Amino acid sequence: MLLHTAAWVIIALLVPWEDSIVQIVGISLGMLALVGLPTILLAVLAGLGHRKMVPGRFRGALVAPMLVFIWPCLAASTAEPLVFELMVQLAFACYLMPVPLVPEKWVGHVQ
């Protein structure tokens, strides 16, 4: 959530939109509902389902399905929302996603 918020603060500062900061915050909350929450749900469900894969490989395999959720950014009038949401998704999948999700049930090799 903090990563998503930081990305949208940067987007609000970089993009010369005619919208007010209140409208940009509203857009960012909508994007959180469309992008952030489904990403977290996917990470939790995939983490509960896969218990045998090496964590690095699991993170790599989950990147592509997570990128599907950034489709609303394609409708933006500038490229910044798409670029920053892409970076947020990659950072979450590669560094922040907890793997293994339930260590007690993990039967794979943890690196």
Side-chain angles (χ1 to χ4, degrees):
M1 300 286 246
L2 292 174
L3 191 60
H4 177 84
T5 303
W8 274 93
V9 166
I10 293 169
I11 291 169
L13 294 174
L14 289 180
V15 177
W17 285 337
E18 297 172 359
D19 299 333
S20 69
I21 192 71
V22 175
Q23 291 171 324
I24 294 172
V25 168
I27 291 169
S28 71
L29 291 175
M31 292 303 290
L32 178 63
L34 290 173
V35 178
L37 297 179
T39 298
I40 293 171
L41 183 63
L42 175 67
V44 168
L45 292 176
L48 291 174
H50 294 284
R51 300 184 315 228
K52 295 183 181 182
M53 195 178 292
V54 176
R57 187 173 183 180
F58 175 74
R59 290 174 187 269
L62 207 56
V63 168
M66 285 183 173
L67 293 181
V68 170
F69 296 122
I70 63 170
W71 65 268
C73 296
L74 296 173
S77 60
T78 62
E80 284 87 354
L82 179 64
V83 170
F84 282 101
E85 283 290 343
L86 177 68
M87 289 191 305
V88 165
Q89 295 289 69
L90 291 174
F92 177 74
C94 294
Y95 301 109
L96 299 175
M97 186 173 53
V99 176
L101 190 60
V102 184
E104 298 83 28
K105 295 184 179 180
W106 192 262
V107 293
H109 174 68
V110 179
Q111 294 180 346

PDB file of all heavy atoms in Angstrom, residues 63-104:
ATOM      1  N   VAL A  63       5.156 -12.658 -11.664  1.00  0.00           N
ATOM      2  CA  VAL A  63       5.254 -11.302 -12.219  1.00  0.00           C
ATOM      3  C   VAL A  63       4.281 -11.101 -13.378  1.00  0.00           C
ATOM      4  O   VAL A  63       3.547 -10.113 -13.418  1.00  0.00           O
ATOM      5  CB  VAL A  63       6.694 -10.991 -12.668  1.00  0.00           C
ATOM      6  CG1 VAL A  63       6.750  -9.724 -13.493  1.00  0.00           C
ATOM      7  CG2 VAL A  63       7.594 -10.845 -11.461  1.00  0.00           C
ATOM      8  N   ALA A  64       4.247 -12.015 -14.327  1.00  0.00           N
ATOM      9  CA  ALA A  64       3.389 -11.845 -15.513  1.00  0.00           C
ATOM     10  C   ALA A  64       1.905 -11.741 -15.154  1.00  0.00           C
ATOM     11  O   ALA A  64       1.224 -10.831 -15.652  1.00  0.00           O
ATOM     12  CB  ALA A  64       3.639 -12.971 -16.507  1.00  0.00           C
ATOM     13  N   PRO A  65       1.349 -12.621 -14.304  1.00  0.00           N
ATOM     14  CA  PRO A  65      -0.063 -12.435 -13.945  1.00  0.00           C
ATOM     15  C   PRO A  65      -0.340 -11.126 -13.214  1.00  0.00           C
ATOM     16  O   PRO A  65      -1.409 -10.545 -13.364  1.00  0.00           O
ATOM     17  CB  PRO A  65      -0.367 -13.631 -13.037  1.00  0.00           C
ATOM     18  CG  PRO A  65       0.649 -14.637 -13.362  1.00  0.00           C
ATOM     19  CD  PRO A  65       1.869 -13.881 -13.787  1.00  0.00           C
ATOM     20  N   MET A  66       0.643 -10.637 -12.449  1.00  0.00           N
ATOM     21  CA  MET A  66       0.436  -9.369 -11.745  1.00  0.00           C
ATOM     22  C   MET A  66       0.395  -8.185 -12.702  1.00  0.00           C
ATOM     23  O   MET A  66      -0.280  -7.199 -12.455  1.00  0.00           O
ATOM     24  CB  MET A  66       1.533  -9.156 -10.707  1.00  0.00           C
ATOM     25  CG  MET A  66       1.369  -9.999  -9.493  1.00  0.00           C
ATOM     26  SD  MET A  66       2.661  -9.615  -8.316  1.00  0.00           S
ATOM     27  CE  MET A  66       2.108 -10.567  -6.927  1.00  0.00           C
ATOM     28  N   LEU A  67       1.124  -8.283 -13.790  1.00  0.00           N
ATOM     29  CA  LEU A  67       1.156  -7.172 -14.750  1.00  0.00           C
ATOM     30  C   LEU A  67      -0.171  -7.008 -15.482  1.00  0.00           C
ATOM     31  O   LEU A  67      -0.445  -5.942 -16.035  1.00  0.00           O
ATOM     32  CB  LEU A  67       2.300  -7.373 -15.741  1.00  0.00           C
ATOM     33  CG  LEU A  67       3.705  -7.281 -15.140  1.00  0.00           C
ATOM     34  CD1 LEU A  67       4.751  -7.475 -16.226  1.00  0.00           C
ATOM     35  CD2 LEU A  67       3.911  -5.981 -14.405  1.00  0.00           C
ATOM     36  N   VAL A  68      -0.993  -8.032 -15.474  1.00  0.00           N
ATOM     37  CA  VAL A  68      -2.316  -7.941 -16.111  1.00  0.00           C
ATOM     38  C   VAL A  68      -3.157  -6.867 -15.433  1.00  0.00           C
ATOM     39  O   VAL A  68      -3.968  -6.210 -16.084  1.00  0.00           O
ATOM     40  CB  VAL A  68      -3.027  -9.313 -16.059  1.00  0.00           C
ATOM     41  CG1 VAL A  68      -4.465  -9.218 -16.487  1.00  0.00           C
ATOM     42  CG2 VAL A  68      -2.269 -10.321 -16.899  1.00  0.00           C
ATOM     43  N   PHE A  69      -2.937  -6.656 -14.148  1.00  0.00           N
ATOM     44  CA  PHE A  69      -3.770  -5.723 -13.396  1.00  0.00           C
ATOM     45  C   PHE A  69      -3.485  -4.255 -13.693  1.00  0.00           C
ATOM     46  O   PHE A  69      -4.224  -3.385 -13.219  1.00  0.00           O
ATOM     47  CB  PHE A  69      -3.630  -5.978 -11.894  1.00  0.00           C
ATOM     48  CG  PHE A  69      -4.130  -7.323 -11.478  1.00  0.00           C
ATOM     49  CD1 PHE A  69      -3.291  -8.214 -10.841  1.00  0.00           C
ATOM     50  CD2 PHE A  69      -5.425  -7.707 -11.748  1.00  0.00           C
ATOM     51  CE1 PHE A  69      -3.740  -9.453 -10.462  1.00  0.00           C
ATOM     52  CE2 PHE A  69      -5.885  -8.951 -11.377  1.00  0.00           C
ATOM     53  CZ  PHE A  69      -5.043  -9.830 -10.729  1.00  0.00           C
ATOM     54  N   ILE A  70      -2.444  -3.943 -14.444  1.00  0.00           N
ATOM     55  CA  ILE A  70      -2.160  -2.531 -14.725  1.00  0.00           C
ATOM     56  C   ILE A  70      -2.868  -2.033 -15.982  1.00  0.00           C
ATOM     57  O   ILE A  70      -2.617  -0.924 -16.431  1.00  0.00           O
ATOM     58  CB  ILE A  70      -0.644  -2.251 -14.804  1.00  0.00           C
ATOM     59  CG1 ILE A  70       0.011  -2.991 -15.945  1.00  0.00           C
ATOM     60  CG2 ILE A  70       0.035  -2.539 -13.505  1.00  0.00           C
ATOM     61  CD1 ILE A  70       1.440  -2.564 -16.191  1.00  0.00           C
ATOM     62  N   TRP A  71      -3.795  -2.822 -16.520  1.00  0.00           N
ATOM     63  CA  TRP A  71      -4.502  -2.414 -17.736  1.00  0.00           C
ATOM     64  C   TRP A  71      -5.224  -1.077 -17.606  1.00  0.00           C
ATOM     65  O   TRP A  71      -5.314  -0.336 -18.594  1.00  0.00           O
ATOM     66  CB  TRP A  71      -5.470  -3.498 -18.206  1.00  0.00           C
ATOM     67  CG  TRP A  71      -6.597  -3.765 -17.247  1.00  0.00           C
ATOM     68  CD1 TRP A  71      -6.625  -4.690 -16.258  1.00  0.00           C
ATOM     69  CD2 TRP A  71      -7.841  -3.076 -17.191  1.00  0.00           C
ATOM     70  NE1 TRP A  71      -7.810  -4.617 -15.569  1.00  0.00           N
ATOM     71  CE2 TRP A  71      -8.585  -3.638 -16.126  1.00  0.00           C
ATOM     72  CE3 TRP A  71      -8.412  -2.034 -17.923  1.00  0.00           C
ATOM     73  CZ2 TRP A  71      -9.845  -3.202 -15.782  1.00  0.00           C
ATOM     74  CZ3 TRP A  71      -9.688  -1.596 -17.569  1.00  0.00           C
ATOM     75  CH2 TRP A  71     -10.391  -2.181 -16.525  1.00  0.00           C
ATOM     76  N   PRO A  72      -5.769  -0.663 -16.447  1.00  0.00           N
ATOM     77  CA  PRO A  72      -6.423   0.649 -16.397  1.00  0.00           C
ATOM     78  C   PRO A  72      -5.478   1.809 -16.705  1.00  0.00           C
ATOM     79  O   PRO A  72      -5.911   2.864 -17.146  1.00  0.00           O
ATOM     80  CB  PRO A  72      -6.948   0.751 -14.961  1.00  0.00           C
ATOM     81  CG  PRO A  72      -7.070  -0.637 -14.491  1.00  0.00           C
ATOM     82  CD  PRO A  72      -5.961  -1.378 -15.176  1.00  0.00           C
ATOM     83  N   CYS A  73      -4.190   1.613 -16.504  1.00  0.00           N
ATOM     84  CA  CYS A  73      -3.210   2.681 -16.769  1.00  0.00           C
ATOM     85  C   CYS A  73      -3.048   2.957 -18.253  1.00  0.00           C
ATOM     86  O   CYS A  73      -2.521   3.993 -18.638  1.00  0.00           O
ATOM     87  CB  CYS A  73      -1.862   2.316 -16.157  1.00  0.00           C
ATOM     88  SG  CYS A  73      -1.906   2.193 -14.377  1.00  0.00           S
ATOM     89  N   LEU A  74      -3.490   2.037 -19.093  1.00  0.00           N
ATOM     90  CA  LEU A  74      -3.396   2.256 -20.533  1.00  0.00           C
ATOM     91  C   LEU A  74      -4.298   3.390 -21.001  1.00  0.00           C
ATOM     92  O   LEU A  74      -4.078   3.968 -22.057  1.00  0.00           O
ATOM     93  CB  LEU A  74      -3.731   0.966 -21.281  1.00  0.00           C
ATOM     94  CG  LEU A  74      -2.769  -0.201 -21.056  1.00  0.00           C
ATOM     95  CD1 LEU A  74      -3.306  -1.459 -21.726  1.00  0.00           C
ATOM     96  CD2 LEU A  74      -1.389   0.136 -21.569  1.00  0.00           C
ATOM     97  N   ALA A  75      -5.318   3.728 -20.209  1.00  0.00           N
ATOM     98  CA  ALA A  75      -6.253   4.790 -20.581  1.00  0.00           C
ATOM     99  C   ALA A  75      -5.765   6.173 -20.167  1.00  0.00           C
ATOM    100  O   ALA A  75      -6.413   7.168 -20.476  1.00  0.00           O
ATOM    101  CB  ALA A  75      -7.612   4.518 -19.950  1.00  0.00           C
ATOM    102  N   ALA A  76      -4.639   6.252 -19.500  1.00  0.00           N
ATOM    103  CA  ALA A  76      -4.123   7.553 -19.051  1.00  0.00           C
ATOM    104  C   ALA A  76      -3.642   8.374 -20.236  1.00  0.00           C
ATOM    105  O   ALA A  76      -3.200   7.840 -21.257  1.00  0.00           O
ATOM    106  CB  ALA A  76      -2.986   7.359 -18.055  1.00  0.00           C
ATOM    107  N   SER A  77      -3.718   9.680 -20.081  1.00  0.00           N
ATOM    108  CA  SER A  77      -3.295  10.574 -21.165  1.00  0.00           C
ATOM    109  C   SER A  77      -1.781  10.733 -21.236  1.00  0.00           C
ATOM    110  O   SER A  77      -1.264  11.258 -22.205  1.00  0.00           O
ATOM    111  CB  SER A  77      -3.961  11.938 -20.996  1.00  0.00           C
ATOM    112  OG  SER A  77      -3.596  12.494 -19.751  1.00  0.00           O
ATOM    113  N   THR A  78      -1.083  10.299 -20.187  1.00  0.00           N
ATOM    114  CA  THR A  78       0.374  10.346 -20.173  1.00  0.00           C
ATOM    115  C   THR A  78       0.911   8.967 -19.815  1.00  0.00           C
ATOM    116  O   THR A  78       0.177   8.099 -19.359  1.00  0.00           O
ATOM    117  CB  THR A  78       0.895  11.370 -19.137  1.00  0.00           C
ATOM    118  OG1 THR A  78       0.475  10.962 -17.838  1.00  0.00           O
ATOM    119  CG2 THR A  78       0.392  12.768 -19.433  1.00  0.00           C
ATOM    120  N   ALA A  79       2.203   8.769 -19.997  1.00  0.00           N
ATOM    121  CA  ALA A  79       2.803   7.449 -19.769  1.00  0.00           C
ATOM    122  C   ALA A  79       3.207   7.211 -18.316  1.00  0.00           C
ATOM    123  O   ALA A  79       3.450   6.073 -17.927  1.00  0.00           O
ATOM    124  CB  ALA A  79       4.028   7.295 -20.660  1.00  0.00           C
ATOM    125  N   GLU A  80       3.280   8.251 -17.505  1.00  0.00           N
ATOM    126  CA  GLU A  80       3.776   8.103 -16.138  1.00  0.00           C
ATOM    127  C   GLU A  80       2.986   7.101 -15.298  1.00  0.00           C
ATOM    128  O   GLU A  80       3.591   6.278 -14.603  1.00  0.00           O
ATOM    129  CB  GLU A  80       3.845   9.462 -15.428  1.00  0.00           C
ATOM    130  CG  GLU A  80       5.000  10.312 -15.855  1.00  0.00           C
ATOM    131  CD  GLU A  80       4.697  11.152 -17.082  1.00  0.00           C
ATOM    132  OE1 GLU A  80       3.611  10.983 -17.684  1.00  0.00           O
ATOM    133  OE2 GLU A  80       5.541  11.980 -17.442  1.00  0.00           O
ATOM    134  N   PRO A  81       1.635   7.130 -15.305  1.00  0.00           N
ATOM    135  CA  PRO A  81       0.921   6.131 -14.497  1.00  0.00           C
ATOM    136  C   PRO A  81       1.257   4.693 -14.887  1.00  0.00           C
ATOM    137  O   PRO A  81       1.453   3.843 -14.016  1.00  0.00           O
ATOM    138  CB  PRO A  81      -0.552   6.440 -14.757  1.00  0.00           C
ATOM    139  CG  PRO A  81      -0.565   7.886 -15.094  1.00  0.00           C
ATOM    140  CD  PRO A  81       0.707   8.109 -15.863  1.00  0.00           C
ATOM    141  N   LEU A  82       1.365   4.425 -16.166  1.00  0.00           N
ATOM    142  CA  LEU A  82       1.698   3.076 -16.617  1.00  0.00           C
ATOM    143  C   LEU A  82       3.107   2.686 -16.186  1.00  0.00           C
ATOM    144  O   LEU A  82       3.324   1.600 -15.650  1.00  0.00           O
ATOM    145  CB  LEU A  82       1.564   2.967 -18.142  1.00  0.00           C
ATOM    146  CG  LEU A  82       1.897   1.609 -18.739  1.00  0.00           C
ATOM    147  CD1 LEU A  82       0.929   0.551 -18.248  1.00  0.00           C
ATOM    148  CD2 LEU A  82       1.880   1.688 -20.258  1.00  0.00           C
ATOM    149  N   VAL A  83       4.054   3.576 -16.364  1.00  0.00           N
ATOM    150  CA  VAL A  83       5.448   3.285 -16.022  1.00  0.00           C
ATOM    151  C   VAL A  83       5.603   3.065 -14.524  1.00  0.00           C
ATOM    152  O   VAL A  83       6.216   2.081 -14.087  1.00  0.00           O
ATOM    153  CB  VAL A  83       6.376   4.423 -16.506  1.00  0.00           C
ATOM    154  CG1 VAL A  83       7.777   4.266 -15.949  1.00  0.00           C
ATOM    155  CG2 VAL A  83       6.401   4.467 -18.022  1.00  0.00           C
ATOM    156  N   PHE A  84       5.015   3.940 -13.708  1.00  0.00           N
ATOM    157  CA  PHE A  84       5.186   3.816 -12.269  1.00  0.00           C
ATOM    158  C   PHE A  84       4.399   2.637 -11.702  1.00  0.00           C
ATOM    159  O   PHE A  84       4.863   1.970 -10.775  1.00  0.00           O
ATOM    160  CB  PHE A  84       4.833   5.125 -11.559  1.00  0.00           C
ATOM    161  CG  PHE A  84       5.926   6.145 -11.653  1.00  0.00           C
ATOM    162  CD1 PHE A  84       5.854   7.176 -12.556  1.00  0.00           C
ATOM    163  CD2 PHE A  84       7.052   6.035 -10.860  1.00  0.00           C
ATOM    164  CE1 PHE A  84       6.869   8.106 -12.663  1.00  0.00           C
ATOM    165  CE2 PHE A  84       8.086   6.950 -10.955  1.00  0.00           C
ATOM    166  CZ  PHE A  84       7.990   7.992 -11.861  1.00  0.00           C
ATOM    167  N   GLU A  85       3.222   2.350 -12.221  1.00  0.00           N
ATOM    168  CA  GLU A  85       2.491   1.162 -11.767  1.00  0.00           C
ATOM    169  C   GLU A  85       3.250  -0.102 -12.156  1.00  0.00           C
ATOM    170  O   GLU A  85       3.276  -1.069 -11.399  1.00  0.00           O
ATOM    171  CB  GLU A  85       1.073   1.128 -12.348  1.00  0.00           C
ATOM    172  CG  GLU A  85       0.117   2.063 -11.682  1.00  0.00           C
ATOM    173  CD  GLU A  85      -0.268   1.657 -10.275  1.00  0.00           C
ATOM    174  OE1 GLU A  85      -0.059   0.495  -9.873  1.00  0.00           O
ATOM    175  OE2 GLU A  85      -0.796   2.518  -9.558  1.00  0.00           O
ATOM    176  N   LEU A  86       3.867  -0.108 -13.325  1.00  0.00           N
ATOM    177  CA  LEU A  86       4.687  -1.247 -13.741  1.00  0.00           C
ATOM    178  C   LEU A  86       5.852  -1.446 -12.775  1.00  0.00           C
ATOM    179  O   LEU A  86       6.123  -2.574 -12.341  1.00  0.00           O
ATOM    180  CB  LEU A  86       5.198  -1.025 -15.169  1.00  0.00           C
ATOM    181  CG  LEU A  86       6.118  -2.086 -15.743  1.00  0.00           C
ATOM    182  CD1 LEU A  86       5.354  -3.378 -15.953  1.00  0.00           C
ATOM    183  CD2 LEU A  86       6.704  -1.607 -17.056  1.00  0.00           C
ATOM    184  N   MET A  87       6.514  -0.360 -12.402  1.00  0.00           N
ATOM    185  CA  MET A  87       7.630  -0.463 -11.462  1.00  0.00           C
ATOM    186  C   MET A  87       7.152  -0.927 -10.080  1.00  0.00           C
ATOM    187  O   MET A  87       7.833  -1.698  -9.409  1.00  0.00           O
ATOM    188  CB  MET A  87       8.362   0.872 -11.359  1.00  0.00           C
ATOM    189  CG  MET A  87       9.147   1.198 -12.612  1.00  0.00           C
ATOM    190  SD  MET A  87      10.291   2.583 -12.471  1.00  0.00           S
ATOM    191  CE  MET A  87       9.286   3.907 -11.906  1.00  0.00           C
ATOM    192  N   VAL A  88       5.977  -0.476  -9.655  1.00  0.00           N
ATOM    193  CA  VAL A  88       5.430  -0.904  -8.372  1.00  0.00           C
ATOM    194  C   VAL A  88       5.144  -2.400  -8.391  1.00  0.00           C
ATOM    195  O   VAL A  88       5.471  -3.126  -7.447  1.00  0.00           O
ATOM    196  CB  VAL A  88       4.156  -0.101  -8.030  1.00  0.00           C
ATOM    197  CG1 VAL A  88       3.366  -0.751  -6.913  1.00  0.00           C
ATOM    198  CG2 VAL A  88       4.519   1.325  -7.661  1.00  0.00           C
ATOM    199  N   GLN A  89       4.538  -2.890  -9.475  1.00  0.00           N
ATOM    200  CA  GLN A  89       4.227  -4.311  -9.570  1.00  0.00           C
ATOM    201  C   GLN A  89       5.512  -5.146  -9.544  1.00  0.00           C
ATOM    202  O   GLN A  89       5.573  -6.175  -8.875  1.00  0.00           O
ATOM    203  CB  GLN A  89       3.432  -4.619 -10.839  1.00  0.00           C
ATOM    204  CG  GLN A  89       2.062  -3.996 -10.881  1.00  0.00           C
ATOM    205  CD  GLN A  89       1.094  -4.639  -9.922  1.00  0.00           C
ATOM    206  OE1 GLN A  89       1.228  -4.506  -8.718  1.00  0.00           O
ATOM    207  NE2 GLN A  89       0.134  -5.345 -10.444  1.00  0.00           N
ATOM    208  N   LEU A  90       6.501  -4.728 -10.282  1.00  0.00           N
ATOM    209  CA  LEU A  90       7.767  -5.471 -10.315  1.00  0.00           C
ATOM    210  C   LEU A  90       8.467  -5.435  -8.955  1.00  0.00           C
ATOM    211  O   LEU A  90       8.987  -6.456  -8.500  1.00  0.00           O
ATOM    212  CB  LEU A  90       8.679  -4.909 -11.403  1.00  0.00           C
ATOM    213  CG  LEU A  90       8.233  -5.157 -12.840  1.00  0.00           C
ATOM    214  CD1 LEU A  90       9.148  -4.426 -13.809  1.00  0.00           C
ATOM    215  CD2 LEU A  90       8.180  -6.633 -13.150  1.00  0.00           C
ATOM    216  N   ALA A  91       8.477  -4.291  -8.303  1.00  0.00           N
ATOM    217  CA  ALA A  91       9.115  -4.193  -6.988  1.00  0.00           C
ATOM    218  C   ALA A  91       8.394  -5.059  -5.969  1.00  0.00           C
ATOM    219  O   ALA A  91       9.033  -5.734  -5.146  1.00  0.00           O
ATOM    220  CB  ALA A  91       9.136  -2.737  -6.521  1.00  0.00           C
ATOM    221  N   PHE A  92       7.074  -5.075  -6.014  1.00  0.00           N
ATOM    222  CA  PHE A  92       6.319  -5.900  -5.079  1.00  0.00           C
ATOM    223  C   PHE A  92       6.594  -7.378  -5.319  1.00  0.00           C
ATOM    224  O   PHE A  92       6.862  -8.128  -4.381  1.00  0.00           O
ATOM    225  CB  PHE A  92       4.822  -5.617  -5.196  1.00  0.00           C
ATOM    226  CG  PHE A  92       3.987  -6.492  -4.305  1.00  0.00           C
ATOM    227  CD1 PHE A  92       3.964  -6.267  -2.940  1.00  0.00           C
ATOM    228  CD2 PHE A  92       3.249  -7.535  -4.822  1.00  0.00           C
ATOM    229  CE1 PHE A  92       3.201  -7.074  -2.102  1.00  0.00           C
ATOM    230  CE2 PHE A  92       2.499  -8.346  -3.994  1.00  0.00           C
ATOM    231  CZ  PHE A  92       2.467  -8.114  -2.631  1.00  0.00           C
ATOM    232  N   ALA A  93       6.555  -7.794  -6.580  1.00  0.00           N
ATOM    233  CA  ALA A  93       6.756  -9.215  -6.887  1.00  0.00           C
ATOM    234  C   ALA A  93       8.184  -9.665  -6.594  1.00  0.00           C
ATOM    235  O   ALA A  93       8.402 -10.761  -6.090  1.00  0.00           O
ATOM    236  CB  ALA A  93       6.414  -9.491  -8.350  1.00  0.00           C
ATOM    237  N   CYS A  94       9.147  -8.830  -6.877  1.00  0.00           N
ATOM    238  CA  CYS A  94      10.549  -9.244  -6.736  1.00  0.00           C
ATOM    239  C   CYS A  94      11.110  -9.074  -5.330  1.00  0.00           C
ATOM    240  O   CYS A  94      12.015  -9.822  -4.945  1.00  0.00           O
ATOM    241  CB  CYS A  94      11.415  -8.474  -7.724  1.00  0.00           C
ATOM    242  SG  CYS A  94      11.059  -8.875  -9.429  1.00  0.00           S
ATOM    243  N   TYR A  95      10.610  -8.110  -4.562  1.00  0.00           N
ATOM    244  CA  TYR A  95      11.251  -7.806  -3.285  1.00  0.00           C
ATOM    245  C   TYR A  95      10.322  -7.844  -2.076  1.00  0.00           C
ATOM    246  O   TYR A  95      10.762  -8.193  -0.986  1.00  0.00           O
ATOM    247  CB  TYR A  95      11.908  -6.423  -3.334  1.00  0.00           C
ATOM    248  CG  TYR A  95      12.947  -6.318  -4.409  1.00  0.00           C
ATOM    249  CD1 TYR A  95      12.731  -5.550  -5.535  1.00  0.00           C
ATOM    250  CD2 TYR A  95      14.145  -7.015  -4.306  1.00  0.00           C
ATOM    251  CE1 TYR A  95      13.684  -5.463  -6.536  1.00  0.00           C
ATOM    252  CE2 TYR A  95      15.106  -6.927  -5.299  1.00  0.00           C
ATOM    253  CZ  TYR A  95      14.862  -6.153  -6.411  1.00  0.00           C
ATOM    254  OH  TYR A  95      15.805  -6.078  -7.391  1.00  0.00           O
ATOM    255  N   LEU A  96       9.077  -7.452  -2.221  1.00  0.00           N
ATOM    256  CA  LEU A  96       8.230  -7.259  -1.055  1.00  0.00           C
ATOM    257  C   LEU A  96       7.241  -8.383  -0.781  1.00  0.00           C
ATOM    258  O   LEU A  96       6.748  -8.503   0.335  1.00  0.00           O
ATOM    259  CB  LEU A  96       7.464  -5.940  -1.189  1.00  0.00           C
ATOM    260  CG  LEU A  96       8.342  -4.702  -1.275  1.00  0.00           C
ATOM    261  CD1 LEU A  96       7.487  -3.472  -1.521  1.00  0.00           C
ATOM    262  CD2 LEU A  96       9.153  -4.542  -0.020  1.00  0.00           C
ATOM    263  N   MET A  97       6.922  -9.171  -1.794  1.00  0.00           N
ATOM    264  CA  MET A  97       5.937 -10.233  -1.616  1.00  0.00           C
ATOM    265  C   MET A  97       6.494 -11.287  -0.665  1.00  0.00           C
ATOM    266  O   MET A  97       7.591 -11.795  -0.880  1.00  0.00           O
ATOM    267  CB  MET A  97       5.598 -10.858  -2.969  1.00  0.00           C
ATOM    268  CG  MET A  97       4.503 -11.868  -2.913  1.00  0.00           C
ATOM    269  SD  MET A  97       4.012 -12.417  -4.542  1.00  0.00           S
ATOM    270  CE  MET A  97       5.547 -12.906  -5.275  1.00  0.00           C
ATOM    271  N   PRO A  98       5.753 -11.610   0.397  1.00  0.00           N
ATOM    272  CA  PRO A  98       6.269 -12.605   1.349  1.00  0.00           C
ATOM    273  C   PRO A  98       6.219 -14.019   0.767  1.00  0.00           C
ATOM    274  O   PRO A  98       5.171 -14.511   0.409  1.00  0.00           O
ATOM    275  CB  PRO A  98       5.326 -12.475   2.551  1.00  0.00           C
ATOM    276  CG  PRO A  98       4.084 -11.880   2.002  1.00  0.00           C
ATOM    277  CD  PRO A  98       4.475 -11.057   0.813  1.00  0.00           C
ATOM    278  N   VAL A  99       7.381 -14.617   0.646  1.00  0.00           N
ATOM    279  CA  VAL A  99       7.486 -15.988   0.133  1.00  0.00           C
ATOM    280  C   VAL A  99       8.452 -16.722   1.035  1.00  0.00           C
ATOM    281  O   VAL A  99       9.562 -16.249   1.247  1.00  0.00           O
ATOM    282  CB  VAL A  99       8.010 -15.994  -1.317  1.00  0.00           C
ATOM    283  CG1 VAL A  99       8.218 -17.408  -1.808  1.00  0.00           C
ATOM    284  CG2 VAL A  99       7.062 -15.258  -2.241  1.00  0.00           C
ATOM    285  N   PRO A 100       8.131 -17.843   1.589  1.00  0.00           N
ATOM    286  CA  PRO A 100       6.849 -18.529   1.557  1.00  0.00           C
ATOM    287  C   PRO A 100       5.827 -17.833   2.451  1.00  0.00           C
ATOM    288  O   PRO A 100       6.180 -17.280   3.489  1.00  0.00           O
ATOM    289  CB  PRO A 100       7.152 -19.926   2.083  1.00  0.00           C
ATOM    290  CG  PRO A 100       8.362 -19.758   2.916  1.00  0.00           C
ATOM    291  CD  PRO A 100       9.131 -18.604   2.330  1.00  0.00           C
ATOM    292  N   LEU A 101       4.587 -17.883   2.041  1.00  0.00           N
ATOM    293  CA  LEU A 101       3.527 -17.196   2.761  1.00  0.00           C
ATOM    294  C   LEU A 101       3.243 -17.869   4.101  1.00  0.00           C
ATOM    295  O   LEU A 101       3.071 -17.206   5.114  1.00  0.00           O
ATOM    296  CB  LEU A 101       2.261 -17.148   1.902  1.00  0.00           C
ATOM    297  CG  LEU A 101       1.141 -16.265   2.414  1.00  0.00           C
ATOM    298  CD1 LEU A 101       1.607 -14.832   2.531  1.00  0.00           C
ATOM    299  CD2 LEU A 101      -0.056 -16.344   1.495  1.00  0.00           C
ATOM    300  N   VAL A 102       3.208 -19.189   4.094  1.00  0.00           N
ATOM    301  CA  VAL A 102       3.006 -19.958   5.329  1.00  0.00           C
ATOM    302  C   VAL A 102       4.231 -20.858   5.491  1.00  0.00           C
ATOM    303  O   VAL A 102       4.277 -21.960   4.956  1.00  0.00           O
ATOM    304  CB  VAL A 102       1.709 -20.794   5.261  1.00  0.00           C
ATOM    305  CG1 VAL A 102       1.467 -21.504   6.579  1.00  0.00           C
ATOM    306  CG2 VAL A 102       0.518 -19.922   4.889  1.00  0.00           C
ATOM    307  N   PRO A 103       5.261 -20.407   6.196  1.00  0.00           N
ATOM    308  CA  PRO A 103       6.518 -21.169   6.284  1.00  0.00           C
ATOM    309  C   PRO A 103       6.357 -22.567   6.859  1.00  0.00           C
ATOM    310  O   PRO A 103       7.097 -23.464   6.493  1.00  0.00           O
ATOM    311  CB  PRO A 103       7.394 -20.307   7.193  1.00  0.00           C
ATOM    312  CG  PRO A 103       6.819 -18.944   7.131  1.00  0.00           C
ATOM    313  CD  PRO A 103       5.355 -19.127   6.882  1.00  0.00           C
ATOM    314  N   GLU A 104       5.382 -22.772   7.734  1.00  0.00           N
ATOM    315  CA  GLU A 104       5.203 -24.076   8.339  1.00  0.00           C
ATOM    316  C   GLU A 104       4.785 -25.128   7.323  1.00  0.00           C
ATOM    317  O   GLU A 104       5.070 -26.316   7.474  1.00  0.00           O
ATOM    318  CB  GLU A 104       4.143 -24.020   9.460  1.00  0.00           C
ATOM    319  CG  GLU A 104       4.503 -23.119  10.601  1.00  0.00           C
ATOM    320  CD  GLU A 104       4.163 -21.663  10.332  1.00  0.00           C
ATOM    321  OE1 GLU A 104       3.229 -21.383   9.560  1.00  0.00           O
ATOM    322  OE2 GLU A 104       4.864 -20.796  10.874  1.00  0.00           O
TER     323      GLU A 104
END
